């Protein structure tokens, strides 16, 4: 105890003094750095320009492009150097800030006695002071709530406002109690807090870190939930999580509806108290699986949101930086490309290895920002705490934000250009993915994302409800193991193909309805030219999924996963060609999807496949080689070298083409990174799209290409993913790639275009031929944007 007292005393005196000395020194150094940067003329003019012309007529949330957040800790009221942070706002060109207001912790003297004040607040109105400072500096303010839990005194005063388990015990999170989303805490108390904050300090809007309440893994049995669910469903709450139970399914949908209702309620409250532009926009994840686990319906929220506040702070080793580009495109495809989607980007080390007050390696933080910007996301620096002894983090955001500001007009209000769409739906994550969405839904999607990036094929995420609305410009729709498809969605996909579109589906696509109930056959079997062979099926769809695997049986672990796919010559490609037990033969004329595999008759696979009935008009270029031992090596010989079980089924449908790939090559690629799998996926995509891809890029390196149009302008954003840490964060050293030769289809109005690169800041010669522009890029370090106009 003496130690604790001593250490706390040090923190309050000696260390604080040292902090101030260090801070003064740093402010001086930072000011010198800013002066050096500002000497570049383009920075000065761009930063001085501000929002001109028609932009000023837009509501604030449509012109707040550059965001910042100092996430205030309870200690900070004693050491928040507001002047220093004002300088930081200025240096980074920040236009809007997120300031902690209330919820779990209040940063102002709230009139509500149970609203827990920050431990070191000492009566100060830190939120109010910061809001005034930001407004004085011309910044917009989003008051940040973090609203889903409270301390014991609050729980004791309102025991009926808190979530409870089946035994009636309150749900706890550390020393706090979790508030129930169906209680008066959300309907009465929080609205009163929002009104109080508006009356006191007039923020421009609100966001909330944890507005969606208790997640899917915990059913609340409090009196409110018990009563409200009974009123809605006419039955008691489900006793446990059971996806087969209609009551549990009803509970899932009811839980979603309540979050969407709260979104609307909160907006009514803040707009009534603070005016029509005083919006409420809770935070959302860039992961659909995370959204599903917290009942945040991305599509319904995007319908209602004026701005999307993304809390998606870092890359995951499995999905890479490119996932942030994917997130931007996914959100904008629902939200519209005219609205903004800022994203919280950690300047601290946020994992793997979680250090709230240590700097994230600058290259790692920078690349996450850039990858998001390429997908249409607006940058938002995020520091935890208002004081840091690791000051390197203060230099990470500034150059990215300044570059953004200087090139703003090319980074907003643009339309993506792609001929390939990748289908998804949150409903599929819920009812097909269930408790295993990572394997069943995310991995197959990620496999295609990686393969398309590797092949430099621009693509767009397409919500399954929007296939007809957004699929008009698409040549190809990819459905990566999208198991749960409703009859209505199947009909719209069918109409897409009937009107000339192509389809590439894998695994269990359309084998389930919207509740995840197995269908007797693929809903899209007629398009696949391929059907379940009930007589030969080794497992039913429902029993296979209960075992934790894929109903197609395709994702089986080793050692039974020592399987292969045989490349079948064109002449033997009909399903009635190869016979089980035939000796394999050398390759003959092969299908275009097998290009690049001339020197092999086998591809590694690893999954298992069941027989299917294939229509006679279809071609089967890959067949299954059943498992054989791997160990000891003497046993590693094929017991059954061939089979008639298809791994890929191809057919022509009028102008369109359909590829059905029972083999889970997409998920395999996400997990195993085998280049053969990437090449195969890209080959099938190009065949199905009839090579109608608006972009080609020659040159070595792993790059992510995003193509956009604005009126009389084409914009190509290339993100360099090549580094010593491509598949494992953090990256420390950026590695230059190039040269590249880029050829992109020109918008028809552009006949004599000029091209400029926005990162290397140079005019680029353009060669025009057959409606396409060819431009050379000498090298790319982190990213490059080519504007052709
Ligand atoms: Zn409850």
């Amino acid at each position: 105890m003496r130690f604790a007292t001593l250490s706390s005393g040090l923190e309050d005196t000696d260390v604080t003094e040292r902090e101030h000395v260090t801070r003064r020194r740093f402010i001086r150094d930072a000011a010198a750095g800013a002066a050096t940067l500002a000497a570049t003329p383009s920075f000065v003019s761009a930063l001085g320009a501000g929002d001109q012309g028609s932009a000023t007529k837009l509501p604030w949330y449509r012109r707040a492009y550059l965001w910042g957040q100092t996430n205030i800790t309870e200690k900070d009221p004693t050491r928040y150097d507001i002047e220093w942070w004002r300088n930081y706002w200025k240096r980074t060109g920040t236009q809007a800030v997120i300031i902690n207001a209330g919820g779990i912790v209040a940063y102002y003297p709230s009139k509500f006695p149970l609203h827990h004040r920050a431990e070191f607040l000492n009566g100060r109105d830190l939120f109010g002071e910061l809001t005034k400072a930001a407004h004085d500096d011309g910044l917009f303010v989003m008051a940040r709530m973090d609203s889903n839990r409270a301390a014991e005194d609050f729980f004791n005063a309102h025991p009926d406002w808190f979530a409870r388990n089946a035994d009636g015990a309150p749900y706890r999170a550390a020393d706090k109690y979790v508030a129930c989303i169906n209680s008066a805490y959300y309907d009465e108390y929080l609205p009163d807090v929002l009104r109080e904050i508006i009356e006191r300090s007039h923020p421009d809007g609100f966001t909330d870190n944890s507005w969606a309440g208790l997640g899917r893994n915990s059913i609340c049995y409090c009196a409110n939930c018990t009563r409200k669910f009974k009123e809605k469903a006419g039955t008691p709450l489900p006793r446990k999580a059971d996806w087969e139970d209609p009551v549990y399914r009803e509970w899932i949908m009811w839980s979603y509806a309540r979050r969407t209702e709260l979104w609307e309620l909160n907006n009514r409250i803040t707009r009534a108290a603070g005016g029509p532009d005083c919006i409420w926009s809770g935070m959302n994840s860039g992961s659909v699986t995370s959204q599903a686990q917290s009942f945040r319906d991305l599509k319904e929220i995007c319908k209602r949101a004026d701005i999307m506040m993304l809390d998606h702070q870092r890359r995951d080793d499995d999905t890479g930086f490119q996932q942030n580009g994917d997130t931007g495109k996914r959100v904008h495809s629902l939200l519209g490309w005219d609205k903004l989607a800022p994203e919280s980007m950690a300047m601290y080390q946020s994992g793997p290895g979680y250090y709230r007050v240590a700097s994230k390696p600058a290259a790692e933080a920078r690349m996450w920002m850039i990858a998001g910007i390429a997908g249409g996301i607006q940058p938002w620096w995020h520091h935890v705490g208002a004081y840091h002894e690791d000051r390197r983090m203060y230099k990470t955001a500034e150059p990215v934000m300044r570059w953004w500001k200087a090139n703003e007009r090319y980074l907003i209000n643009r339309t993506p250009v792609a001929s390939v769409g990748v289908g998804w739906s949150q409903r599929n994550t819920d009812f097909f993915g269930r408790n295993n969405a990572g394997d069943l839904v995310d991995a197959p999607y990620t496999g295609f994302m990686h393969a398309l990036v590797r092949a430099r094929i621009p693509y767009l995420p397409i919500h399954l409800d929007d296939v007809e609305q957004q699929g008009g410009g698409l040549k190809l729709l990819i459905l990566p193991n999208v198991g749960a498809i409703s009859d209505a969605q199947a009909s719209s996909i069918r109409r897409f193909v009937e009107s000339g579109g192509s389809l590439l589906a894998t695994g269990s696509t359309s084998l389930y309805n919207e509740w995840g109930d197995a269908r007797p056959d693929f809903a899209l079997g007629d398009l696949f030219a391929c059907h379940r062979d009930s007589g030969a099926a080794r497992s039913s769809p429902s029993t296979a999924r209960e075992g934790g695997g894929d109903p197609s049986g395709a994702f089986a672990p080793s050692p039974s996963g020592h399987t292969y796919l045989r490349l079948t010559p064109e002449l033997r490609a009909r399903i009635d060609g190869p016979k089980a037990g035939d000796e394999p033969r050398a390759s003959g004329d092969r299908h275009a999807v097998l290009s690049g595999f001339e020197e092999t008759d086998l591809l590694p696979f690893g999954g298992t496949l069941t027989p299917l009935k294939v229509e006679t008009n279809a071609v089967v270029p890959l067949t299954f080689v059943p498992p054989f031992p791997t160990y000891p090596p003497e046993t590693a010989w094929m017991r059954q070298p061939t089979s008639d079980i298809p791994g890929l089924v191809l057919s022509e449908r009028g102008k369109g083409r359909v590829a059905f790939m029972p083999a889970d090559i997409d998920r395999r690629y996400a997990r195993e990174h085998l280049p053969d799998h990437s090449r195969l996926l890209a080959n099938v995509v190009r065949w199905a799209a009839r090579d109608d891809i608006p972009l080609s890029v020659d040159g070595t390196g792993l790059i992510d290409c995003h193509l956009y149009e604005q009126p009389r302008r084409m914009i190509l954003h290339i993100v360099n993913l090549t580094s010593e840490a491509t598949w494992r964060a953090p990256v420390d050293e950026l590695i230059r790639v190039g040269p590249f030769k880029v050829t992109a289809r020109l918008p028809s109005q552009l006949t004599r275009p000029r091209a400029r690169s926005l990162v290397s800041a140079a005019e680029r010669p353009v060669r025009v031929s057959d409606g396409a522009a060819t431009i050379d890029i000498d090298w790319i370090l982190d990213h490059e944007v080519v504007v052709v106009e």
Side-chain angles (χ1 to χ4, degrees), residues 180 220 222 225:
C180 173
C220 178
C222 80
C225 288

Side-chain angles (χ1 to χ4, degrees), residues 559 562 628-637 639:
H562 187 225
F628 55 96
T630 56
Y631 191 85
E634 290 86 342
T635 66
W637 56 276
R639 305 302 190 273

Side-chain angles (χ1 to χ4, degrees), residues 614-745:
V614 179
E615 293 173 11
T616 52
N617 62 334
V619 170
V620 179
L622 290 166
T623 54
F624 181 56
V625 177
F628 55 96
T630 56
Y631 191 85
E634 290 86 342
T635 66
W637 56 276
M638 284 177 200
R639 305 302 190 273
Q640 190 188 334
T642 65
S643 80
D644 57 4
I645 299 174
L648 176 62
V649 180
L650 307 176
S651 57
E652 306 259 351
R653 317 263 326 175
K655 283 192 210 159
R657 287 172 164 171
V658 179
F660 175 60
M661 186 182 276
D664 65 332
I665 297 300
D666 42 9
R667 172 170 35 208
R668 297 261 149 213
Y669 185 51
R671 294 278 189 253
E672 297 169 357
H673 288 213
L674 290 183
D676 281 353
H677 291 169
S678 169
R679 172 180 280 274
L680 178 61
L681 292 174
N683 281 353
V684 178
V685 167
R686 289 188 187 282
W687 172 81
R690 293 187 188 271
D691 283 318
D692 192 346
I693 310 289
L695 176 74
S696 77
V697 181
D698 294 331
T700 54
L702 179 64
I703 53 172
D704 187 9
C705 302
H706 301 259
L707 195 59
Y708 296 96
E709 275 184 19
Q710 287 175 336
R712 302 186 57 77
R713 182 181 289 154
M714 187 190 74
I715 300 160
L716 171 63
H717 202 153
I718 300 180
V719 181
N720 180 16
L721 302 173
T722 316
S723 79
E724 97 287 4
T726 295
W727 300 109
R728 183 174 175 184
V731 53
D732 180 31
E733 183 184 21
L734 299 175
I735 296 173
R736 220 182 237 211
V737 293
F740 294 104
K741 189 176 84 171
V742 171
T743 302
R745 202 173 298 155

Side-chain angles (χ1 to χ4, degrees), residues 367-484:
M367 289 309 299
W368 183 247
M369 298 178 88
I370 285 170
I373 290 168
I377 282 172
Q378 284 73 47
W380 153 5
W381 49 257
H382 181 193
H383 299 279
V384 172
Y387 180 80
H388 305 96
E389 292 162 284
D390 184 344
R391 296 167 297 281
R392 294 171 295 178
M393 67 178 80
Y394 298 145
K395 298 200 170 167
T396 306
E398 183 176 338
V400 180
M401 307 279 268
R402 282 171 171 260
W403 179 85
W404 203 99
K405 186 68 189 166
N407 296 288
E408 180 177 288
R409 62 190 180 282
Y410 305 111
L411 303 173
I412 52 174
N413 289 319
R414 50 192 193 177
T415 308
V417 177
S419 59
V420 173
V422 185
W424 69 281
S425 83
Q426 194 162 333
R427 184 85 188 220
N428 179 57
T429 299
D430 285 319
F431 289 102
F432 175 62
R434 299 189 173 183
N435 300 328
N436 197 18
D439 269 341
L440 294 173
V441 179
D442 297 345
Y445 184 96
T446 298
F448 268 108
M449 176 178 78
H450 289 338
L452 292 167
V453 167
R454 191 83 187 90
R456 293 127 180 214
I457 298 173
Y459 75 94
L460 287 175
I462 300 288
H463 193 283
L464 285 194
D465 290 339
D466 299 335
V467 168
E468 283 178 284
Q469 185 197 330
Q470 296 192 0
L474 295 180
K475 288 290 165 193
L476 169 65
L477 177 66
I478 299 173
L479 300 175
N481 201 39
V482 184

Side-chain angles (χ1 to χ4, degrees), residues 278-422:
C278 188
I279 58 168
W280 181 97
S281 194
M283 294 190 198
N284 285 279
S285 169
S287 152
V288 178
T289 295
S290 292
Q291 289 288 105
Q293 282 167 350
S294 54
F295 301 117
R296 291 174 291 180
D297 187 325
L298 193 60
K299 184 173 169 63
E300 291 303 315
I301 288 169
C302 282
K303 270 189 207 165
R304 291 160 175 81
D306 295 295
I307 186 170
M308 174 58 67
M309 306 300 286
L310 289 165
D311 184 6
H312 190 50
Q313 300 194 33
R314 65 178 176 92
R315 73 162 153 160
D316 185 305
D317 285 343
D318 287 342
T319 50
F321 291 121
Q322 57 270 39
Q323 198 277 333
N324 214 20
D326 186 273
T327 293
K329 291 187 290 191
R330 181 194 308 272
V331 166
H332 281 295
S333 75
L334 298 174
L335 189 69
W337 285 86
D338 52 344
K339 291 185 185 171
L340 304 180
E343 179 188 79
S344 173
M345 296 159 168
M347 299 295 114
Y348 58 90
Q349 177 53 30
S350 57
Y354 206 59
Y355 302 98
R356 288 287 208 187
V357 293
S359 297
K360 173 170 285 201
E364 177 73 23
R366 177 183 178 85
M367 289 309 299
W368 183 247
M369 298 178 88
I370 285 170
I373 290 168
I377 282 172
Q378 284 73 47
W380 153 5
W381 49 257
H382 181 193
H383 299 279
V384 172
Y387 180 80
H388 305 96
E389 292 162 284
D390 184 344
R391 296 167 297 281
R392 294 171 295 178
M393 67 178 80
Y394 298 145
K395 298 200 170 167
T396 306
E398 183 176 338
V400 180
M401 307 279 268
R402 282 171 171 260
W403 179 85
W404 203 99
K405 186 68 189 166
N407 296 288
E408 180 177 288
R409 62 190 180 282
Y410 305 111
L411 303 173
I412 52 174
N413 289 319
R414 50 192 193 177
T415 308
V417 177
S419 59
V420 173
V422 185

